[in-house]
Amino acid sequence: MTKYKIIKFLRDAFPFIAVIVLWRLSVAFWNPAGILAIIPIFYCSFVRPIPWFAPFAILFCFLIDYRFDTLVYWTVMYCLFYAINGFQTFFDLTRVDKNALYVFMIFFGVATFVLSITNPTVATLMRAAWLFAWVSTLYVPITALIKRIYDDR
């Protein structure tokens, strides 16, 4: 009986653990400042809302800002999108196909573009394009893994 409780606890904790691991595995080229943690933050906040995940997401957006040396940029972008999502009546992100990949691409693309035009050099724009392509590509497997583990109760 306790074995099943441990498995249920690990399944419930997996989205939180995924954010911590992706943020912690920060590598300059592949995961700068732990930005891949924005994938489970977005997915578990908007597509598959998890109770009590929003305060955790705000904390980790702040930690991404800390590593990126942006003041509170990702935190503000997350809170802005959270507010927009709260007032929306046209789209239900919980029912969008492909785990809301296109909505995530709009969110992350706009945020990355705005961040890259603050210092418009060719290197910055190329890095922003690479980051957008890389994070958008990894969105599908990471969300599929979260969906498979968390929703398989």
Side-chain angles (χ1 to χ4, degrees), residues 101-131:
L101 171 65
Y102 300 126
V103 178
F104 174 76
M105 289 173 72
I106 291 170
F107 163 72
F108 192 73
V110 168
T112 306
F113 178 72
V114 169
L115 193 60
S116 68
I117 62 171
T118 59
N119 184 16
T121 63
V122 174
T124 305
L125 295 176
M126 294 302 287
R127 184 175 174 137
W130 158 251
L131 191 63

Side-chain angles (χ1 to χ4, degrees), residues 19-111:
V19 171
I20 294 169
V21 167
L22 287 172
W23 177 76
R24 190 74 180 127
L25 293 176
S26 172
V27 180
F29 184 72
W30 299 106
N31 188 11
I35 194 65
L36 288 179
I38 206 79
I39 295 171
I41 287 171
F42 180 87
Y43 182 75
C44 296
S45 294
F46 304 117
V47 182
R48 295 272 189 254
I50 294 175
W52 297 100
F53 195 81
F56 182 78
I58 291 171
L59 171 69
F60 270 87
C61 285
F62 180 75
L63 291 174
I64 290 170
D65 283 326
Y66 175 74
R67 280 203 175 155
F68 247 126
D69 287 332
T70 53
L71 196 53
V72 286
Y73 181 74
W74 289 103
T75 309
V76 167
M77 292 304 284
Y78 173 81
C79 291
L80 180 68
F81 196 81
Y82 195 85
I84 290 170
N85 187 49
F87 289 119
Q88 60 87 18
T89 56
F90 299 109
F91 300 107
D92 184 11
L93 293 182
T94 60
R95 300 188 194 281
V96 177
D97 58 342
K98 296 182 183 177
N99 295 335
L101 171 65
Y102 300 126
V103 178
F104 174 76
M105 289 173 72
I106 291 170
F107 163 72
F108 192 73
V110 168

